[in-house]
Amino acid sequence: MNQLSDRLNSLSPSETLAMSQKSNELKAQGIDVINLSVGEPDFNTPEHIKEAAKKAIDDNFSRYSPVPGYPALRNAIVEKLKKENGLEYTAAQISCSNGAKQSVCNVVMALVGKGDEVIIPAPYWVSYPEMVKLADGTPVTIPAGIEQDFKITPAQLEAAITPKTKALILCSPSNPTGSVYSKEELAGLAAVLAKHPQIVVIADEIYEHINYIGKHESIAQFPEIFDRVVIVNGVSKAYAMTGWRIGFIAGPEWIVKACNKLQGQYTSGPCSVSQKAAEAAYTGTQAPVEEMRKAFERRRDLIVKLAKDVPGFEVNVPQGAFYLFPKCDYYFGKSCGDRKISNAADLAMYLLEVGHVACVGGAAFGAPECIRMSYATSDENIEEAIRRIKDALAKLK
Ligand SMILES: Cc1ncc(COP(=O)(O)O)c(C=O)c1O
């Protein structure tokens, strides 16, 4: 019997979570698996943030919060956007949610309906097309391969736009590729968008602070489109706070109000204690953010160096986030005994079961020729993982 709604039946399960689960199952059997499938920093939340949360509990900060979050947190975000991004917002233009994931979903749900198209450059974060499908919309992907550093061009964007285009979801720095759009590249996209005033840009900047090229550039900086850009960000990745569940949007008031209305019927405001922690993250010392960024940069250099040495891997140099996305279709069609590798999912499963390294096949990210490896792990794990991967791949003939 399948009593589930069409909406649920058309939804794909998260492949990243599935690989993490499979890897945990093998670990539970006593197998020493190196998990490169997870999308979270391996650091602990900085002490001053934890202290703020402890104080919030002792101060009985335990009631329902306003739906978009407490004014103190929203004001802290307004200050952050001014200071770090040079962007002017009011607190009424900020809405906080249970993580950036809910923030993206709120905007999609608020804007997209049946027949609406949402442009999603591929490779993309696994959840974007699924969110669009949940909203009854149609995801329209633009392929951007490794030869263009996984970034779309203005001409590709122009060609994908139709009268039905409602939104573009742009993720920079990108999960899964680590690619980062430069100011000039964003300006090129903004110039196209300026000609199409019906399109809202959902700019997912959750990896803003994990950036190896210096300053983060937001597409919201271009005045000709500023009033229809919704920035999505949060504390999860920059402050090692994935479990605290605080994300936010900053955008035009009409969209923010719509998201508040939706959230008011759906989840209400996010966790009050986590809001105090997030406020401390934005207003306190930023030193731990830079420390973590430096560690990620060192690991990026290490994994790129090692992965470039793996026969059959084509490797881009990620400029942000903590993922490597090698092209590995060289191995499709090869076998080890009676085990044949037909696609990236097979390869990821082979690397897990034979090499004991968990990666994620690229199909879920709209790039079936690649696999994703997270390097949010120790240098030793990175070195050992690539050694195991090389050994396992060498058995494929
Ligand atoms: C591109 C991207 N956006 C949003 C999120 C979700 O962030 P949060 O944990 O704040 O919901 C992730 C997490 O993996 C992500 O990779």
Side-chain angles (χ1 to χ4, degrees):
M1 186 169 81
N2 183 351
Q3 292 286 69
L4 297 175
S5 65
D6 291 346
R7 182 178 300 115
L8 248 290
N9 283 324
S10 69
L11 197 66
S12 311
S14 164
E15 202 166 314
T16 46
L17 297 182
M19 269 322 263
S20 273
Q21 198 175 327
K22 174 90 189 157
S23 141
N24 288 338
E25 280 166 22
L26 290 182
K27 271 189 186 165
Q29 292 168 26
I31 297 173
D32 159 39
V33 173
I34 299 178
N35 192 352
L36 305 187
S37 73
V38 286
E40 63 182 342
D42 55 327
F43 299 106
N44 292 323
T45 302
E47 286 304 321
H48 71 284
I49 299 175
K50 294 196 285 194
E51 286 306 321
K54 288 178 200 168
K55 182 167 184 313
I57 293 172
D58 288 340
D59 289 351
N60 294 309
F61 216 75
S62 50
R63 308 279 195 273
Y64 286 130
S65 95
V67 169
Y70 280 102
L73 174 57
R74 284 184 286 136
N75 286 328
I77 293 168
V78 166
E79 282 308 308
K80 171 250 176 293
L81 289 163
K82 191 184 294 175
K83 205 166 76 191
E84 293 186 347
N85 310 98
L87 298 169
E88 295 285 340
Y89 291 94
T90 64
Q93 290 179 281
I94 311 294
S95 180
C96 303
S97 303
N98 302 291
K101 191 177 238 178
Q102 190 191 0
S103 298
V104 177
C105 201
N106 280 351
V107 182
V108 169
M109 288 295 173
L111 291 177
V112 178
K114 206 168 180 53
D116 291 334
E117 295 176 356
V118 176
I119 296 177
I120 303 174
Y124 45 70
W125 183 44
V126 284
S127 297
Y128 300 146
E130 301 306 317
M131 289 172 179
V132 172
K133 285 194 277 170
L134 268 181
D136 274 341
T138 308
V140 174
T141 54
I142 304 178
I146 197 166
E147 67 290 345
Q148 56 190 88
D149 194 22
F150 301 116
K151 291 184 274 192
I152 60 164
T153 63
Q156 282 183 299
L157 176 61
E158 182 83 71
I161 292 172
T162 76
K164 291 183 183 164
T165 307
K166 205 60 178 280
L168 160 71
I169 307 182
L170 195 72
C171 182
S172 178
S174 155
N175 175 4
T177 65
S179 297
V180 176
Y181 285 85
S182 68
K183 183 173 180 179
E184 293 66 36
E185 287 164 340
L186 292 173
L189 299 180
V192 172
L193 293 160
K195 292 187 274 176
H196 301 275
Q198 88 279 13
I199 301 176
V200 170
V201 183
I202 304 171
D204 186 341
E205 303 184 355
I206 192 75
Y207 293 98
E208 165 179 18
H209 286 103
I210 306 172
N211 182 320
Y212 315 124
I213 54 166
K215 191 172 162 284
H216 172 74
E217 300 290 350
S218 174
I219 196 163
Q221 71 187 280
F222 303 103
E224 60 274 29
I225 59 165
F226 175 72
D227 63 352
R228 52 201 168 87
V229 175
V230 183
I231 290 180
V232 174
N233 206 332
V235 292
S236 299
K237 315 283 178 176
Y239 300 93
M241 292 176 69
T242 45
W244 297 80
R245 310 311 301 133
I246 296 289
F248 71 83
I249 57 168
E253 233 176 297
W254 66 275
I255 297 179
V256 173
K257 271 190 185 151
C259 290
N260 292 342
K261 186 166 146 189
L262 181 71
Q263 185 161 293
Q265 294 291 14
Y266 206 2
T267 60
S268 297
C271 168
S272 56
V273 173
S274 294
Q275 288 192 48
K276 275 291 163 199
E279 189 188 323
Y282 286 124
T283 55
T285 171
Q286 301 300 301
V289 178
E290 177 56 13
E291 256 171 58
M292 292 188 270
R293 193 204 64 78
K294 276 195 190 134
F296 285 129
E297 184 162 10
R298 193 189 63 242
R299 295 159 175 188
R300 189 274 311 255
D301 292 346
L302 178 66
I303 199 166
V304 165
K305 183 171 95 72
L306 296 173
K308 279 193 166 165
D309 229 26
V310 175
F313 269 17
E314 203 179 319
V315 173
N316 70 317
V317 180
Q319 296 181 321
F322 38 67
Y323 308 101
L324 188 71
F325 204 57
K327 184 165 181 274
C328 51
D329 53 352
Y330 168 81
Y331 290 100
F332 299 175
K334 296 197 186 300
S335 304
C336 174
D338 51 10
R339 183 168 190 153
K340 187 165 179 207
I341 306 299
S342 299
N343 51 43
D346 288 354
L347 192 66
M349 197 50 79
Y350 173 79
L351 292 177
L352 178 57
E353 289 176 354
V354 176
H356 299 154
V357 179
C359 308
V360 188
F365 305 98
E369 71 286 5
C370 297
I371 54 170
R372 192 192 75 171
M373 301 170 173
S374 161
Y375 52 89
T377 187
S378 66
D379 293 18
E380 298 73 45
N381 273 349
I382 291 170
E383 284 173 5
E384 176 62 12
I386 299 289
R387 196 188 59 70
R388 291 184 190 184
I389 288 172
K390 240 176 156 172
D391 285 355
L393 291 176
K395 295 182 192 150
L396 291 172
K397 303 287 172 220

